[in-house]
Amino acid sequence: MNTALINMAMQTTLAAIEPRTIAQRAAESAHENLWITAGYFLAAIVGVALLLSFLGMALIYIERKVAAAFQCRIGPNRVGPWGLLQTVADTLKLVFKEDFVPQMADRTLHMIAPFLALLVPVVLLALIPYSPALQVADLNIGILFITAIGGFGVMGILIAGWSSNNKWSMIGAMRAGAQIISYELSATLALLVVVLFSGTMSLTGIVQSQEDGWWIWRGHAAGLCAFIIYLVASTAELNRTPFDIPEGESELTAGFHTEYSGLRFAFFFLAEFINMFTVSALTATLFLGGWMPFHIGDWTSFNSAMDAIPPSIWFLGKVTAIIFVIMWFRWTFPRLRVDQLMHLEWKVLLPIGFANLFIAAIIVLANAYPYPVAGQ
Amino acid sequence: MSVQVRTLDDLLHAPLDADSELTTQEYLVNMGPQHPIAHGSLRVVLRLDGETVKHVIPVPGYVHRGVEKMCEHLTYRQIIPYTDRLDYLSAIMNNWAVAKTVEKAANIPTNERIDTIRTIMSELQRLQSHALWWGVTGMDLGAYTAFLYGFREREIIGEIFEETIGARLTMNYIQPGGLMYDIKPDFAQKVKNLLPYLKGCIEQYETLLSGNVIFQERLRNIGILDGKHAIALGCTGPVLRASGVPYDLRAVEPYGVYDKVNFNVVVGEVGDCWDRYYVRLEEMRESVRIVEQLIDNIPEGPHATIRYNEEIILPEGLHYGQVETARGVFGVFIASDGKNKCPIRLHFRSPNFNNLWIVTAIASGWRIADFISIQSSLDLVIPDIDR
Amino acid sequence: MGAKGQSMDTKSLLALVVSLHPTVQRRANADRLAIVVPVDDLLEVMKTLRDHQELKFDLFVAHTAIDQIEANRFELVYILSSTMHGNNIYVTAYIGRENPVAPSMVALWPIAEWQEREAYDLLGLLYDNHPDLRRVFLEDDWIGFPLRKDYRDPYMLDLPK
């Protein structure tokens, strides 16, 4: 699934070769030499581990620095240059902490839950086109797969809350269940708008369909509206402020992970950050053209200057911008109450989402884009 | 005659109703003594039906130190440091309450300078306390950034205190018959430099939180307490004023130099959490006004009218003095036998102890998150409840 | 509401209260008007103090008691204020140490419920018709009432003379 990662490093060499996903490469080599396939798998596992730890640490470091900037502080600056090693030190601390399981907890489920929570974002990483040459698997039903797997993410949280045998955890898990399942509807409706526009469910296909303009502004207001709905709904699925009621610190101490410590707590933590990366990457891919550079009409010199920037840099830049917006939410907003949260979803976002989908369908049927689109 | 003594266990082991329409099961949770909303160690037992709070049982006492018993063996000057440790965010005002009671009972005079400095210091501390409270409320409602903004102002005012008093938290500053230390020559200038900054901060608070739609949704029309009930439930301070009762000791029975300054008693209209929030913000503005009026004309004079080691013996009888702290009426009741240096009975009328219990009256029927808003809007300091 | 100062002086306040309840006497040695009420009349007098148009003592500021061990009695002290008229008053009553039962003021001022619980917890006063008489600070299995003058526990040290 997910060798994406190693390939980050190998990317420059790969760019020259004909674009193929890692999954394709592995499948091809299986006909020739099984050892090469095995090598791909081994590399994939190492790659995933490296990418996860790198992403986790980098995002935590960024989050802390961003938070510090919002709060008139400096942030980590003691361990290593500019505090870069602070997250490494924190990770080591978490590794060596006692892995505590409450006496009355359901031991097996308590152990499994963090891995389930981490599994979903990691699987989704495989679908993301990082650059033309760098994608693990390009499914032709990509969007369907994302929705299906994404909905599975709540399982880890529910199991964690239930197995901890703690009332706060249980309330947190129940809140998370209600919240994530509700907001998935809106997120899916927003995804469908892009599917309608691009006429494909394959993520690479969606990126390629945005060659002449990103969907966020090419579908009149419908694309922008879908973008905003998706950003809000996926922030809610991430359980981050202002939608962090499942772990709202001042209410539920730590919500569903109250009873977790050490490495297992770190897994929840990591899951949240990888999830944030996945969501940002999907938003960038669907609405902001993925690795497509920014082009303006027929300003050829401007466009070629934009083309000079490598696609993976474009992609990472867009992802970083969205991650920053999500962090911005977190450090400026208070938390919603549970019924206000449901009100926002079922009475505001969902009707708007349906109306938006309808409008998008009309735009597509009438082929009424603001400017002509090549190939459609 | 029906005297029936109960225990907490009787309440906790009482059968729980399954009285909602879907016959869900009610359950009890302990919010505290170790919980982020406890702000110290206050235990609150909640009876919940899903997310809805059915019944609230506050269980204070986790920081009970028997201050009143200790005070029976302390001279009046020795009592002062103990009051710092009750409501530690109103330490100077608590000092003043004891000093005021003792001065009135023992006929110890003060002078204009002492009164002016006491008033300035108290208002600065009220600003400090409300700034911290603002930050903590933000944090309780999930806006963690606000917490650090509130703390920033608190530290800056703390510097002023530290320069004069030598302490940032437990001041031990106002003594019977004067002040522990005189102010430094540049005190007035420093405070004058601080005031425009604080005004800017209050505006910043408004833009950061007050205007936020989520924040307003979380506070407006939550936990409504009308004036009549507020008085009957014995609450004082901003909580009472938010319910529309203009009862402020600084205006009703002025002490210090409050009768020489102009300020408004801020009252709310609805008595919900939002009013309690906004009354405090407005009070910060009024406190800045009070300090502004006083800081230019601090009269000359000695900073104490009696020696620090002078023996104080109160005449026989009952003595009571009260001041308006950042949280309400802090009173000191002293019963003296006229012979000893120590009181035979001393009782602190604590604003937090009396304000706490309104949660039992207004919190049921709201959600867990609203309970957080309500408790946060009461601005409780736990050591003052437990004493 | 919130008028500065007091609506009547100590003398007329006392005269008014005495005219309403002849059993009330003035308690000497207090920094404001203090009245002594026989404990049987306490509830009646308090009700008058709260409800009478010219008295209106609506704020139950504090309630505590003094352990007068030599006289073998507790002196109950209620501090009342009027947010309308600005008046302050002490109401005191004596109850015996052996059977320290006092009427509960919960029906008049809800806040009395917890202030009386505090007095029960620390001084061992019992309140008639109190809805929820429990300890408030100390644990339920605490032995004795610490603010009584004769309270001892195994860890207490004597004050050096």
Side-chain angles (χ1 to χ4, degrees), chain A residues 19-65:
Chain A
R20 275 180 307 167
T21 63
I22 315 292
Q24 283 166 338
R25 285 166 204 279
E28 280 161 21
S29 62
H31 300 298
E32 297 152 21
N33 188 342
L34 275 178
W35 287 108
I36 298 179
T37 317
Y40 268 118
F41 275 116
L42 188 68
I45 291 165
V46 176
V48 168
L50 284 180
L51 179 82
L52 284 190
S53 36
F54 173 75
L55 263 188
M57 287 190 195
L59 286 172
I60 291 169
Y61 177 77
I62 294 169
E63 172 101 312
R64 294 179 69 168
K65 278 292 189 191

Short mmCIF file of all heavy atoms in Angstrom, two decimals, chain A residues 19-65:
data_model
loop_
_atom_site.label_atom_id
_atom_site.label_comp_id
_atom_site.label_asym_id
_atom_site.label_seq_id
_atom_site.Cartn_x
_atom_site.Cartn_y
_atom_site.Cartn_z
N PRO A 19 5.53 7.96 -15.40
CA PRO A 19 4.79 7.90 -14.13
C PRO A 19 4.09 6.56 -13.95
O PRO A 19 3.28 6.15 -14.77
CB PRO A 19 3.77 9.03 -14.28
CG PRO A 19 4.26 9.87 -15.39
CD PRO A 19 5.07 9.01 -16.27
N ARG A 20 4.43 5.88 -12.91
CA ARG A 20 3.73 4.66 -12.53
C ARG A 20 3.61 4.66 -11.02
O ARG A 20 4.52 5.13 -10.34
CB ARG A 20 4.51 3.42 -12.97
CG ARG A 20 4.24 3.01 -14.41
CD ARG A 20 5.04 1.80 -14.75
NE ARG A 20 6.44 2.00 -14.44
CZ ARG A 20 7.33 1.01 -14.40
NH1 ARG A 20 6.96 -0.22 -14.64
NH2 ARG A 20 8.58 1.26 -14.12
N THR A 21 2.54 4.10 -10.48
CA THR A 21 2.44 4.05 -9.02
C THR A 21 3.28 2.90 -8.49
O THR A 21 3.63 1.98 -9.23
CB THR A 21 0.99 3.85 -8.59
OG1 THR A 21 0.56 2.60 -9.07
CG2 THR A 21 0.09 4.95 -9.10
N ILE A 22 3.59 2.99 -7.22
CA ILE A 22 4.43 1.97 -6.60
C ILE A 22 3.76 0.61 -6.69
O ILE A 22 4.41 -0.42 -6.94
CB ILE A 22 4.70 2.31 -5.12
CG1 ILE A 22 5.06 3.78 -4.98
CG2 ILE A 22 5.75 1.41 -4.56
CD1 ILE A 22 6.36 4.17 -5.56
N ALA A 23 2.43 0.61 -6.52
CA ALA A 23 1.70 -0.65 -6.57
C ALA A 23 1.88 -1.30 -7.93
O ALA A 23 2.09 -2.52 -8.03
CB ALA A 23 0.23 -0.41 -6.29
N GLN A 24 1.86 -0.48 -8.97
CA GLN A 24 2.05 -1.03 -10.32
C GLN A 24 3.44 -1.64 -10.47
O GLN A 24 3.61 -2.72 -11.01
CB GLN A 24 1.84 0.08 -11.36
CG GLN A 24 0.38 0.40 -11.58
CD GLN A 24 0.18 1.70 -12.35
OE1 GLN A 24 1.06 2.55 -12.36
NE2 GLN A 24 -0.97 1.83 -12.97
N ARG A 25 4.42 -0.89 -9.94
CA ARG A 25 5.79 -1.40 -10.04
C ARG A 25 5.92 -2.74 -9.34
O ARG A 25 6.51 -3.68 -9.89
CB ARG A 25 6.76 -0.43 -9.39
CG ARG A 25 7.04 0.80 -10.20
CD ARG A 25 7.75 1.83 -9.30
NE ARG A 25 7.54 3.16 -9.83
CZ ARG A 25 8.27 3.66 -10.83
NH1 ARG A 25 9.23 2.94 -11.37
NH2 ARG A 25 8.02 4.86 -11.28
N ALA A 26 5.37 -2.81 -8.16
CA ALA A 26 5.49 -4.05 -7.40
C ALA A 26 4.79 -5.18 -8.15
O ALA A 26 5.32 -6.29 -8.27
CB ALA A 26 4.88 -3.88 -6.02
N ALA A 27 3.62 -4.91 -8.71
CA ALA A 27 2.86 -5.93 -9.42
C ALA A 27 3.64 -6.40 -10.65
O ALA A 27 3.70 -7.60 -10.94
CB ALA A 27 1.50 -5.39 -9.82
N GLU A 28 4.27 -5.46 -11.35
CA GLU A 28 5.02 -5.84 -12.55
C GLU A 28 6.19 -6.73 -12.20
O GLU A 28 6.44 -7.74 -12.86
CB GLU A 28 5.52 -4.58 -13.26
CG GLU A 28 4.43 -3.94 -14.10
CD GLU A 28 4.77 -2.50 -14.42
OE1 GLU A 28 5.97 -2.15 -14.35
OE2 GLU A 28 3.84 -1.74 -14.72
N SER A 29 6.89 -6.33 -11.14
CA SER A 29 8.09 -7.10 -10.79
C SER A 29 7.73 -8.50 -10.33
O SER A 29 8.55 -9.41 -10.41
CB SER A 29 8.89 -6.38 -9.72
OG SER A 29 8.10 -6.27 -8.55
N ALA A 30 6.50 -8.70 -9.87
CA ALA A 30 6.10 -10.02 -9.39
C ALA A 30 6.17 -11.05 -10.52
O ALA A 30 6.42 -12.23 -10.27
CB ALA A 30 4.68 -9.96 -8.83
N HIS A 31 5.98 -10.61 -11.77
CA HIS A 31 6.08 -11.53 -12.88
C HIS A 31 7.52 -11.93 -13.13
O HIS A 31 7.80 -13.01 -13.62
CB HIS A 31 5.50 -10.91 -14.14
CG HIS A 31 4.07 -10.53 -14.00
ND1 HIS A 31 3.08 -11.47 -13.74
CD2 HIS A 31 3.44 -9.34 -14.04
CE1 HIS A 31 1.93 -10.86 -13.65
NE2 HIS A 31 2.12 -9.55 -13.81
N GLU A 32 8.45 -11.04 -12.78
CA GLU A 32 9.85 -11.30 -13.11
C GLU A 32 10.59 -11.96 -11.96
O GLU A 32 11.13 -13.04 -12.08
CB GLU A 32 10.54 -9.99 -13.48
CG GLU A 32 9.94 -9.34 -14.72
CD GLU A 32 10.10 -7.84 -14.71
OE1 GLU A 32 10.99 -7.36 -13.98
OE2 GLU A 32 9.33 -7.14 -15.40
N ASN A 33 10.57 -11.32 -10.82
CA ASN A 33 11.38 -11.81 -9.71
C ASN A 33 10.68 -11.50 -8.40
O ASN A 33 10.47 -10.34 -8.04
CB ASN A 33 12.75 -11.10 -9.75
CG ASN A 33 13.70 -11.70 -8.75
OD1 ASN A 33 13.28 -12.39 -7.83
ND2 ASN A 33 14.98 -11.46 -8.95
N LEU A 34 10.31 -12.55 -7.67
CA LEU A 34 9.58 -12.34 -6.42
C LEU A 34 10.42 -11.59 -5.39
O LEU A 34 9.89 -10.90 -4.53
CB LEU A 34 9.13 -13.67 -5.84
CG LEU A 34 7.80 -14.18 -6.40
CD1 LEU A 34 7.48 -15.53 -5.80
CD2 LEU A 34 6.68 -13.19 -6.11
N TRP A 35 11.74 -11.71 -5.47
CA TRP A 35 12.59 -11.03 -4.50
C TRP A 35 12.47 -9.52 -4.63
O TRP A 35 12.52 -8.80 -3.64
CB TRP A 35 14.06 -11.45 -4.68
CG TRP A 35 14.28 -12.85 -4.18
CD1 TRP A 35 14.51 -13.97 -4.92
CD2 TRP A 35 14.26 -13.27 -2.81
NE1 TRP A 35 14.65 -15.07 -4.12
CE2 TRP A 35 14.50 -14.67 -2.81
CE3 TRP A 35 14.06 -12.61 -1.59
CZ2 TRP A 35 14.54 -15.41 -1.65
CZ3 TRP A 35 14.12 -13.36 -0.44
CH2 TRP A 35 14.35 -14.75 -0.46
N ILE A 36 12.32 -9.10 -5.87
CA ILE A 36 12.18 -7.64 -6.05
C ILE A 36 10.86 -7.18 -5.42
O ILE A 36 10.80 -6.15 -4.73
CB ILE A 36 12.23 -7.28 -7.54
CG1 ILE A 36 13.59 -7.68 -8.09
CG2 ILE A 36 11.95 -5.80 -7.75
CD1 ILE A 36 13.77 -7.39 -9.56
N THR A 37 9.82 -7.98 -5.60
CA THR A 37 8.53 -7.64 -4.97
C THR A 37 8.68 -7.58 -3.46
O THR A 37 8.22 -6.64 -2.80
CB THR A 37 7.48 -8.69 -5.34
OG1 THR A 37 7.60 -9.00 -6.71
CG2 THR A 37 6.10 -8.18 -5.02
N ALA A 38 9.37 -8.60 -2.93
CA ALA A 38 9.58 -8.62 -1.48
C ALA A 38 10.36 -7.39 -1.05
O ALA A 38 10.06 -6.77 -0.02
CB ALA A 38 10.32 -9.89 -1.08
N GLY A 39 11.35 -7.02 -1.88
CA GLY A 39 12.14 -5.83 -1.57
C GLY A 39 11.25 -4.59 -1.54
O GLY A 39 11.37 -3.76 -0.64
N TYR A 40 10.32 -4.51 -2.50
CA TYR A 40 9.38 -3.39 -2.51
C TYR A 40 8.59 -3.34 -1.21
O TYR A 40 8.39 -2.28 -0.61
CB TYR A 40 8.43 -3.50 -3.69
CG TYR A 40 8.91 -2.79 -4.92
CD1 TYR A 40 9.18 -3.47 -6.09
CD2 TYR A 40 9.08 -1.40 -4.91
CE1 TYR A 40 9.63 -2.82 -7.22
CE2 TYR A 40 9.52 -0.74 -6.03
CZ TYR A 40 9.79 -1.44 -7.19
OH TYR A 40 10.22 -0.79 -8.29
N PHE A 41 8.13 -4.54 -0.78
CA PHE A 41 7.33 -4.56 0.45
C PHE A 41 8.14 -4.13 1.66
O PHE A 41 7.68 -3.34 2.49
CB PHE A 41 6.76 -5.97 0.68
CG PHE A 41 5.47 -6.18 -0.06
CD1 PHE A 41 5.38 -7.13 -1.07
CD2 PHE A 41 4.36 -5.42 0.25
CE1 PHE A 41 4.20 -7.31 -1.77
CE2 PHE A 41 3.18 -5.60 -0.43
CZ PHE A 41 3.10 -6.55 -1.44
N LEU A 42 9.38 -4.65 1.73
CA LEU A 42 10.24 -4.29 2.85
C LEU A 42 10.48 -2.78 2.84
O LEU A 42 10.33 -2.09 3.86
CB LEU A 42 11.57 -5.04 2.75
CG LEU A 42 12.46 -4.90 3.98
CD1 LEU A 42 11.82 -5.60 5.16
CD2 LEU A 42 13.85 -5.48 3.70
N ALA A 43 10.81 -2.30 1.67
CA ALA A 43 11.05 -0.85 1.55
C ALA A 43 9.80 -0.08 1.94
O ALA A 43 9.88 0.97 2.59
CB ALA A 43 11.45 -0.52 0.12
N ALA A 44 8.65 -0.64 1.57
CA ALA A 44 7.39 0.04 1.91
C ALA A 44 7.22 0.14 3.41
O ALA A 44 6.88 1.19 3.95
CB ALA A 44 6.22 -0.72 1.29
N ILE A 45 7.51 -0.98 4.10
CA ILE A 45 7.29 -0.98 5.56
C ILE A 45 8.23 0.02 6.22
O ILE A 45 7.82 0.85 7.04
CB ILE A 45 7.48 -2.39 6.11
CG1 ILE A 45 6.34 -3.27 5.63
CG2 ILE A 45 7.53 -2.37 7.62
CD1 ILE A 45 6.59 -4.73 5.79
N VAL A 46 9.50 -0.05 5.84
CA VAL A 46 10.46 0.90 6.41
C VAL A 46 10.06 2.32 6.07
O VAL A 46 10.06 3.23 6.90
CB VAL A 46 11.88 0.59 5.90
CG1 VAL A 46 12.86 1.62 6.42
CG2 VAL A 46 12.29 -0.80 6.32
N GLY A 47 9.64 2.48 4.83
CA GLY A 47 9.26 3.82 4.38
C GLY A 47 8.10 4.37 5.19
O GLY A 47 8.11 5.53 5.62
N VAL A 48 7.10 3.53 5.40
CA VAL A 48 5.94 3.99 6.17
C VAL A 48 6.37 4.40 7.56
O VAL A 48 6.00 5.48 8.06
CB VAL A 48 4.88 2.88 6.25
CG1 VAL A 48 3.82 3.26 7.29
CG2 VAL A 48 4.24 2.67 4.92
N ALA A 49 7.18 3.54 8.19
CA ALA A 49 7.60 3.86 9.54
C ALA A 49 8.35 5.19 9.57
O ALA A 49 8.09 6.05 10.41
CB ALA A 49 8.49 2.74 10.09
N LEU A 50 9.25 5.36 8.59
CA LEU A 50 10.01 6.61 8.56
C LEU A 50 9.10 7.80 8.31
O LEU A 50 9.18 8.81 9.00
CB LEU A 50 11.09 6.53 7.47
CG LEU A 50 12.29 5.69 7.82
CD1 LEU A 50 13.28 5.69 6.67
CD2 LEU A 50 12.96 6.24 9.08
N LEU A 51 8.21 7.66 7.35
CA LEU A 51 7.35 8.80 7.02
C LEU A 51 6.46 9.17 8.20
O LEU A 51 6.30 10.33 8.53
CB LEU A 51 6.48 8.49 5.81
CG LEU A 51 5.57 9.67 5.47
CD1 LEU A 51 6.31 10.71 4.66
CD2 LEU A 51 4.33 9.25 4.75
N LEU A 52 5.91 8.12 8.82
CA LEU A 52 5.00 8.40 9.94
C LEU A 52 5.73 9.14 11.04
O LEU A 52 5.26 10.17 11.54
CB LEU A 52 4.44 7.10 10.50
CG LEU A 52 3.35 6.45 9.67
CD1 LEU A 52 2.73 5.32 10.46
CD2 LEU A 52 2.30 7.45 9.31
N SER A 53 6.92 8.62 11.39
CA SER A 53 7.59 9.30 12.51
C SER A 53 8.04 10.69 12.08
O SER A 53 7.94 11.64 12.86
CB SER A 53 8.76 8.47 13.03
OG SER A 53 9.37 7.81 11.96
N PHE A 54 8.48 10.80 10.82
CA PHE A 54 8.89 12.14 10.39
C PHE A 54 7.70 13.10 10.37
O PHE A 54 7.76 14.19 10.94
CB PHE A 54 9.52 12.07 9.00
CG PHE A 54 9.80 13.44 8.44
CD1 PHE A 54 10.86 14.19 8.91
CD2 PHE A 54 8.97 14.00 7.47
CE1 PHE A 54 11.10 15.46 8.41
CE2 PHE A 54 9.20 15.27 6.97
CZ PHE A 54 10.28 16.00 7.45
N LEU A 55 6.60 12.65 9.75
CA LEU A 55 5.42 13.51 9.67
C LEU A 55 4.94 13.89 11.06
O LEU A 55 4.66 15.05 11.35
CB LEU A 55 4.29 12.78 8.95
CG LEU A 55 4.08 13.06 7.47
CD1 LEU A 55 2.81 12.38 7.03
CD2 LEU A 55 3.99 14.54 7.22
N GLY A 56 4.84 12.86 11.92
CA GLY A 56 4.36 13.10 13.28
C GLY A 56 5.19 14.15 13.97
O GLY A 56 4.68 15.16 14.45
N MET A 57 6.50 13.94 13.96
CA MET A 57 7.37 14.88 14.69
C MET A 57 7.34 16.26 14.06
O MET A 57 7.27 17.27 14.76
CB MET A 57 8.78 14.33 14.72
CG MET A 57 8.92 13.16 15.65
SD MET A 57 10.62 12.75 15.86
CE MET A 57 10.48 11.14 16.58
N ALA A 58 7.39 16.29 12.73
CA ALA A 58 7.40 17.59 12.07
C ALA A 58 6.11 18.35 12.38
O ALA A 58 6.14 19.53 12.73
CB ALA A 58 7.57 17.41 10.57
N LEU A 59 4.98 17.64 12.28
CA LEU A 59 3.71 18.33 12.50
C LEU A 59 3.57 18.79 13.94
O LEU A 59 3.07 19.87 14.22
CB LEU A 59 2.55 17.42 12.12
CG LEU A 59 2.34 17.24 10.62
CD1 LEU A 59 1.31 16.18 10.35
CD2 LEU A 59 1.92 18.56 10.00
N ILE A 60 4.04 17.96 14.88
CA ILE A 60 3.94 18.37 16.28
C ILE A 60 4.82 19.60 16.53
O ILE A 60 4.42 20.56 17.19
CB ILE A 60 4.33 17.21 17.21
CG1 ILE A 60 3.27 16.12 17.14
CG2 ILE A 60 4.49 17.69 18.64
CD1 ILE A 60 3.67 14.84 17.81
N TYR A 61 6.00 19.57 15.92
CA TYR A 61 6.89 20.73 16.08
C TYR A 61 6.22 21.98 15.49
O TYR A 61 6.20 23.04 16.11
CB TYR A 61 8.22 20.45 15.39
CG TYR A 61 9.17 21.61 15.43
CD1 TYR A 61 9.88 21.90 16.60
CD2 TYR A 61 9.36 22.43 14.33
CE1 TYR A 61 10.75 22.97 16.64
CE2 TYR A 61 10.22 23.50 14.37
CZ TYR A 61 10.92 23.77 15.54
OH TYR A 61 11.77 24.84 15.59
N ILE A 62 5.65 21.80 14.29
CA ILE A 62 5.00 22.95 13.65
C ILE A 62 3.84 23.44 14.51
O ILE A 62 3.69 24.64 14.75
CB ILE A 62 4.51 22.57 12.24
CG1 ILE A 62 5.69 22.28 11.34
CG2 ILE A 62 3.66 23.69 11.66
CD1 ILE A 62 5.30 21.66 10.02
N GLU A 63 3.05 22.50 15.00
CA GLU A 63 1.90 22.88 15.83
C GLU A 63 2.36 23.68 17.04
O GLU A 63 1.77 24.70 17.39
CB GLU A 63 1.16 21.61 16.30
CG GLU A 63 0.06 21.89 17.32
CD GLU A 63 -1.32 21.89 16.72
OE1 GLU A 63 -1.47 22.55 15.68
OE2 GLU A 63 -2.21 21.23 17.26
N ARG A 64 3.42 23.23 17.67
CA ARG A 64 3.88 23.94 18.86
C ARG A 64 4.40 25.32 18.53
O ARG A 64 4.19 26.29 19.28
CB ARG A 64 4.94 23.11 19.58
CG ARG A 64 4.35 21.83 20.13
CD ARG A 64 5.36 20.99 20.81
NE ARG A 64 5.81 21.61 22.04
CZ ARG A 64 6.53 20.99 22.95
NH1 ARG A 64 6.86 19.74 22.78
NH2 ARG A 64 6.91 21.61 24.04
N LYS A 65 5.10 25.42 17.41
CA LYS A 65 5.62 26.73 17.02
C LYS A 65 4.47 27.67 16.62
O LYS A 65 4.48 28.85 16.96
CB LYS A 65 6.61 26.57 15.87
CG LYS A 65 8.01 26.18 16.32
CD LYS A 65 8.67 27.30 17.10
CE LYS A 65 10.14 27.00 17.38
NZ LYS A 65 10.74 27.94 18.34
#
